[in-house]
Amino acid sequence: MLVDGDALLLVVAALLLDAVIGDPDWLWRRLPHPVVWIGNGIGWLERWLNREDWSRRQRKLAGVVTIIALVSVAMLVSGLLADLLNDNWIGFGVEALIASTLIAQRSLYQHVARVRRAFTEGGLPAARQAVAMIVGRDPERLDEGGVARAAIESTAENFSDGIVAPVFWLALLGLPGLIAYKAINTADSMIGHRSTRYIDFGWAAARLDDLVNLIPARLSGILVALAAPVSRGSIIASLKIMMRDASKHRSPNAGWPESAMAGALEIAIAGPRVYAEGAVNDPYLNAEGRTAAPDDIGRALRVFVAACVSQTTIYAALALLL
């Protein structure tokens, strides 16, 4: 599917549904979320194909086969589903509802807002518990600035791979593009690690995830920069920090929205941090910025909401033009 008016209308409908409904807990307590199905498939393939007695070359090849199988099945099933739903407005509504479950605007806002609220209601201990739900670093090692920094980084990074990227692939390839993207992104989160078990088997998942996020990450950085004024930031300053510091991040993609957010809020983020598997000593993004504070989480959320609104507005304008 090439980008056309119908695909863009589907994007706008899915974004609006996600903003209003989000991921209702009552529904997913009764039904498995689509990402759970994808995760179960990845887990099954990993158990069968990631053999400890195989050589590194064999495990890397098995990882390539796993990703090819995963993406092929995702495209086939979602393509059949899209064809089935493509005949009328009811089908369009169902397709938009399915797509909305794979976009994370509302759920990301709620998770990050809980960290800010935890500071107010329970202080640093409560904030540590809340931030542990959205980041992998050791919460007990985090002071107030560390918790705030972690929440803001998560907001920026997940704006890219949880919102901008799935929407980009939905616009470009329809529902099959969106579900294939989520399959790749889920595989990266499950097996795309540099641990002994996954460094070879997960190589293909990690590299393909880098590739499919290449354009969306840069778009997300631009959207964050354009939203900077809602938190008394500068668009120009945010863009300058993004262009200067994005490449300092260990990820080829996460540095773009994160450095744009650092510039928009005039704070330093990333830098040294401690995870369960050990410490990392990364450089700061916007190193000359001040230390993040709990109030900056609220400012980051305002930037996030404005960026989401801008994205929806852009897709709606394109839909009208086409």
Side-chain angles (χ1 to χ4, degrees), residues 37-81:
W37 293 349
I38 293 170
N40 289 339
I42 295 166
W44 184 84
L45 287 166
E46 194 271 341
R47 286 191 297 274
W48 277 95
L49 295 176
N50 190 15
R51 303 293 183 87
E52 292 184 2
D53 57 333
W54 284 358
S55 69
R56 294 191 62 179
R57 181 186 178 88
Q58 288 174 316
R59 293 174 83 169
K60 183 175 283 191
L61 180 60
V64 172
V65 171
T66 294
I67 289 300
I68 291 173
L70 181 69
V71 174
S72 299
V73 171
M75 293 286 285
L76 176 62
V77 172
S78 55
L80 291 172
L81 183 61

Side-chain angles (χ1 to χ4, degrees), residues 208-228:
L208 186 56
D209 185 71
D210 287 342
L211 180 63
V212 297
N213 279 293
L214 204 66
I215 295 173
R218 286 142 183 83
L219 292 176
S220 65
I222 294 170
L223 288 168
V224 167
L226 292 175

Side-chain angles (χ1 to χ4, degrees), residues 129-197:
Q129 290 182 1
V131 84
M133 302 298 293
I134 58 173
V135 299
R137 64 198 69 178
D138 182 358
E140 297 306 314
R141 301 285 191 96
L142 299 175
D143 57 11
E144 279 197 354
V147 171
R149 187 161 42 114
I152 292 165
E153 289 168 24
S154 182
T155 304
E157 182 178 2
N158 285 294
F159 173 62
S160 177
D161 60 20
I163 300 162
V164 176
V167 167
F168 175 84
W169 289 107
L170 175 62
L172 196 64
L173 298 174
L175 193 62
L178 169 61
I179 294 180
Y181 171 79
K182 293 303 292 187
I184 295 165
N185 191 242
T186 304
D188 178 59
S189 67
M190 290 179 65
I191 63 175
H193 310 301
R194 298 187 64 82
S195 63
T196 302
R197 181 174 179 83

Side-chain angles (χ1 to χ4, degrees), residues 23 105-115 117:
D23 275 335
Q105 294 172 119
R106 188 178 180 91
S107 61
L108 178 57
Y109 181 93
Q110 290 172 334
H111 279 94
V112 177
R114 287 191 192 108
V115 181
R117 189 165 59 249

Side-chain angles (χ1 to χ4, degrees), residues 91-103:
F92 176 86
V94 173
E95 194 172 356
L97 187 61
I98 293 170
S100 74
T101 67
L102 300 173
I103 302 170

Side-chain angles (χ1 to χ4, degrees), residues 292-309:
D295 286 346
D296 290 316
I297 300 174
R299 295 178 62 220
L301 285 172
R302 288 197 293 275
V303 171
F304 168 74
V305 170
C308 288
V309 171

